[in-house]
Amino acid sequence: MASEQSGNPGGNENDPAGKAGPQQHGAEPQARRSGVPGRGSEPPARASAAARPASSPRLESAPHIAGAPRLESAPHIAGAPQPPDGGADPGRRARIATWAKRIGIALAALLVLAAVAVVLVVQHYEADLPSTVELKDYRPPQVTRILARDGTRLGELFTERRTVVRIGEIPNQVKLAALAAEDAGFYEHAGLNYLGMLRALAVNLRSTQTRQGASTITQQVVKNVLLTPDRTYKRKAREIILARRIEQELTKDEILELYLNKIYFGHGRYGVEEASRYYFGKSVRDVTLAEAALLAAVVKGPSVYSPRVNLERAVARRAFVLDQMQKKGFADEVQVEQAKREPVVLAIETETLAELAPEVVGEAQRMLREIVGPAAQLGGYTITTTIDPALQAAARAAVRKNLDAYAKRHKLLGPLARTKKEPPPFEGTPSGHKVFRGLVTGADDARGTLSVQVGSLHGAVSLRGAERYNPSGLAPSKFAELNKVVRVSLIGPAPEPVVEAPTPGQEADEAAAGEAAKRAAGGAAKPAAPVPLRLELGPEGALVAIDVRTREIAALVGGYEAVRGGLDRATYARRQPGSTFKAFVYGYGIHARTLTPATILETNPLAVAGYKPQNHDESEGQSPARLREAVAHSVNVAAVSALSRVGASNVVAFANALGIQSKLGTDLSLALGSYEVTPREMAAAYASIAAGGVHEQPVLITKIVGPDGAELPLPRRPPAHRVMEEAEAYVLTSVLTSVVQSGTARQARSLGRPIAGKTGTTNQSKDAWFVGYSTDIACAVWTGYDDAAPLGAGEVGATAALPAFVEFMKQAHAKRPAADFPVPNGIVRVKIDPQTGLLAREGQEDAIEEVFVAGTEPAEEASVPEADAGAEGADAGAPGELQGAAEAPAPGEKPAEPTRPAQPGAAPGEPEHAPEPGTLPTPEPGTLPAGDMAPPPF
């Protein structure tokens, strides 16, 4: 029995019927028993694999695999005839030799046929195989990161979320865990695991379908990079061929690097670096052995073994990987036991749809495409911006707080109640990206939707995305009363109507067929489902903040919501700037030495030829006023009067030099800001004034680093140029501080530091602005509806825009000491008569001090007023924000009637310009005040 067990424990493969007895084993020739080669007689390892360099973890020589075939001497065949002692029969020997020859020929033929078949199969599957050369320079899609100035992540761009790391940067425990889980013999085989392939083939043949694979890491690289993941025998054959090629062209380390950066770890993460950041909140360079084993465990099935999906399964799979590492000698027992006891600590998921600065992410993406073209899609870039994360958050909060305050003032927060004067709803069929007035017809609390009828279209508003107007989280039935008119827009295109088809009986009946035709024409058409709608109850806002010294954009907010793909109104919304444009009119007058803060300007509309702008407060404007007063109280007639003195074309060129790039007209309405600009342009222009009259193009992107670590050249920034002398800019700044100290922006005095700026409001309060600056930051704020709907009664720049400026600047200057605007050389201060702007008389009690550019101060002394003169103080009265202008009718013409909407309920279209003036008056030579000079170049 002993000899039987040691001789063939599994039975005799040559005697399947079991007829041969134990004695035959005992009689086995001694040559067979001693002829089995030991380890020393095994064939040497493949030379190419041994010569291949490897910087991967140190692996001992692979042990002999149990069950692997060994070369042995041929065994004696049981029952074979034994030759007699006296010699063999010559005839029998001849027959044996003949048959042996025939068998040899047949075997040789079979081998040749098999070789030919293999060649033909290989040639068949080699047809149209992808090239493996590209793997040397293979660049998988990576993540492009957009960073703030301090390295804070603002956003990411990717088609596949991946960050490539070189094999030398990946710690050994990560490599060994991956090998233990997927391919322990990776560094020993030539790219294929033949035994595994045969085993998988047998399993698949028995099941008549593909159930098991036997892919090595090399084969997985081929499948993921060069082929498709389809489970077919054709793909498997192509995979085997390509795996052999890759092994000849790439080193083992290069193949492993491709694998570790390519594989999918679930939740949209590819490669070990992104997986480590997502699961553990750290780089793969810093993971522990337990974390490395968990990463390797996820690969088998991310939807099953992800610790965020099923922690229990993930831990069990991690234990298996650790056991495999111990079994293969990749880790000792102590390390494995410690790793098994280590708790799984997952990083907090911080990603949401809202981002800190999606407007900046969008601009960074556009610039990257301009610089690198289609390569931007592959990612791997790091883009550094000028955004200050703290200021960006403060800017977003300020815009939202301002718009929420507007919504509260106008009762735009739920519950929405009907009013006595509801605006008429829209009539007709809505289409396009417009805003419409719809009628609330019902509510579905279970689905969280509000039913709204917009003309012929039945829509539904989801309150889950309307937290701005429903901060209390009211149910739809409590949010709005029935028949309440609300502003909505279509989220997507309206669906095609569904037409009821006629029945077979109707087709035979002419009358019924006619009725069916009538229904097909639209009589029975109805939408398949409610069209998704979006609430558009309140206005939008924008804020741009620029560092005065560096001209870097510190904050950029383009709307209430912070979502990718939204409209960046700060950069792309062109709106009328209103009275904020007056700074350029007066600035050019000071630059040209035509105007000074003491210049007396006309405020009576009747005194302006060919144009009749209106003042907001009718109690003002009946007598001339000094320029400083006119700016502080935003007197429209005075601005038009100033523009007529200095020339509109000169002001346009001056504004362009300061940073306004939008097209501007050269008529008198320019003085009132009738031509559209962007908030970003206004902030840049005011920053030029704050910087002493030097314009420099604001910058948002400071550095782009490519996937290879090399810095890319950015578009050349235009050189800075001087537009105004420092003294001129200082005088203009001094004038603009009066807007805060005694004019329309007195609320900004709460900042407790010198602030210069200007409010602005357009016709019907369609746009509200405040643009201003301190010694450190220039900031522009705009508020308005996207469809240019009026903001409503009482809404002006001081109420609808200035609060956001004050809130932001308060946060931006929280840790900065208050500083006054520095006084440059070339400034003189003299006392003037407040009524005439001339030099004050000796001992004049009501004289005031004024600043001038040296050489422009008044030389004439004011005369003694009459006894009844001077009853009204210099700063008596402070008119509110001014409201646009009205066109004076030409002789014989009737006054223009107000524009009416094309149809009831239709939202207004493009922003309305200020009324067109008459022909621009051309000053006659010599009509400029004495001492005026030709404007210097800028």
Side-chain angles (χ1 to χ4, degrees), residues 501-773:
T503 62
Q506 288 176 320
E507 294 178 356
D509 190 337
E510 291 183 2
E515 187 66 23
K518 180 179 178 180
R519 288 199 304 273
K526 53 185 178 181
V531 176
L533 302 175
R534 170 190 170 92
L535 283 178
E536 302 283 358
L537 303 180
E540 283 292 346
L543 186 152
V544 185
I546 299 177
D547 188 301
V548 171
R549 294 177 179 83
T550 64
R551 230 58 64 90
E552 294 180 345
I553 298 176
L556 182 70
V557 174
Y560 186 96
E561 295 179 344
V563 293
R564 189 83 61 86
L567 174 62
D568 175 11
R569 297 166 183 83
T571 304
Y572 297 105
R574 299 187 182 276
R575 305 300 290 255
Q576 292 177 311
S579 294
T580 59
F581 196 85
K582 293 175 182 176
F584 309 137
V585 177
Y586 296 122
Y588 177 75
I590 294 171
H591 167 70
R593 307 298 198 272
T594 303
L595 303 174
T596 72
T599 299
I600 300 300
L601 297 174
E602 187 58 65
T603 61
N604 187 346
L606 299 177
V608 181
Y611 191 44
K612 191 178 180 182
Q614 298 296 315
N615 290 317
H616 180 62
D617 190 335
E618 296 300 329
S619 67
E620 292 291 328
Q622 303 305 317
S623 59
R626 287 179 291 113
L627 183 147
R628 184 180 290 275
E629 292 178 297
V631 173
H633 302 306
S634 199
V635 182
N636 285 345
V637 177
V640 175
S641 174
L643 183 66
S644 66
R645 288 195 188 191
V646 302
S649 59
N650 291 329
V651 172
V652 168
F654 182 72
N656 292 155
L658 286 173
I660 301 298
Q661 299 174 348
S662 298
K663 184 178 180 181
L664 303 174
T666 55
D667 54 65
L668 290 179
S669 69
L670 176 71
L672 307 182
S674 63
Y675 291 93
E676 296 166 346
V677 296
T678 67
R680 194 160 164 178
E681 289 176 313
M682 293 299 292
Y686 271 63
S688 299
I689 301 171
V694 175
H695 173 68
E696 190 173 4
Q697 181 177 301
V699 61
L700 183 62
I701 310 297
T702 57
K703 185 169 65 174
I704 300 179
V705 177
D708 58 354
E711 188 171 339
L712 277 63
L714 299 177
R716 187 172 177 270
R717 191 178 179 187
H721 62 273
R722 181 166 291 282
V723 182
M724 308 173 71
E725 295 301 323
E726 285 188 85
E728 298 164 1
Y730 177 82
V731 170
L732 178 57
T733 294
S734 175
V735 169
L736 292 175
T737 58
S738 297
V739 178
V740 175
Q741 293 302 318
S742 60
T744 57
R746 288 187 293 273
Q747 182 186 348
R749 289 186 297 184
S750 63
L751 292 171
R753 64 181 61 242
I755 297 291
K758 187 71 188 74
T759 53
T761 311
T762 62
N763 287 356
Q764 302 178 36
S765 296
K766 293 181 177 179
D767 301 279
W769 292 77
F770 185 82
V771 188
Y773 53 88

Side-chain angles (χ1 to χ4, degrees), residues 145-309:
R145 289 183 172 82
I146 295 89
L147 308 178
R149 64 172 62 174
D150 63 352
T152 300
R153 186 185 65 180
L154 297 178
E156 295 180 338
L157 305 170
F158 54 87
T159 54
E160 290 183 359
R161 186 169 255 160
R162 174 189 290 105
T163 298
V164 171
V165 286
R166 298 304 174 194
I167 191 68
E169 301 175 39
I170 301 175
N172 280 350
Q173 60 264 30
V174 176
K175 303 175 194 175
L176 292 171
L179 294 176
E182 298 294 323
D183 187 2
F186 171 71
Y187 277 90
E188 278 69 48
H189 61 62
L192 299 174
N193 182 353
Y194 296 102
L195 287 178
M197 292 168 59
L198 292 175
R199 183 172 57 251
L201 179 63
V203 171
N204 295 336
L205 289 175
R206 284 198 303 269
S207 61
T208 69
Q209 58 181 335
T210 305
R211 301 179 62 89
Q212 181 176 331
S215 296
T216 61
I217 284 179
T218 307
Q219 290 174 275
Q220 292 185 53
V221 169
V222 171
K223 178 178 66 176
N224 292 326
V225 178
L226 299 177
L227 301 176
T228 64
D230 300 335
R231 289 194 170 190
T232 62
Y233 289 110
K234 178 180 179 181
R235 196 269 300 161
K236 196 68 177 179
R238 292 159 64 89
E239 176 186 298
I240 292 172
I241 297 171
L242 288 172
R244 295 284 298 181
R245 289 184 183 177
I246 290 177
E247 287 280 342
Q248 295 169 2
E249 296 175 3
L250 300 179
T251 67
K252 286 289 187 177
D253 280 353
E254 289 173 335
I255 296 172
L256 186 59
E257 179 180 307
L258 281 172
Y259 172 77
L260 293 176
N261 283 296
K262 182 68 180 178
I263 49 179
Y264 181 59
F265 286 88
H267 306 281
R269 268 66 180 184
Y270 293 82
V272 290
E273 176 67 14
E274 282 300 316
S276 179
R277 293 186 183 190
Y278 175 69
Y279 288 117
F280 309 123
K282 64 176 76 171
S283 170
V284 71
R285 302 169 182 85
D286 304 320
V287 299
T288 64
L289 175 61
E291 291 168 339
L294 186 60
L295 290 177
V298 171
V299 176
K300 181 177 177 63
S303 61
V304 177
Y305 296 107
S306 165
R308 296 196 188 276
V309 174

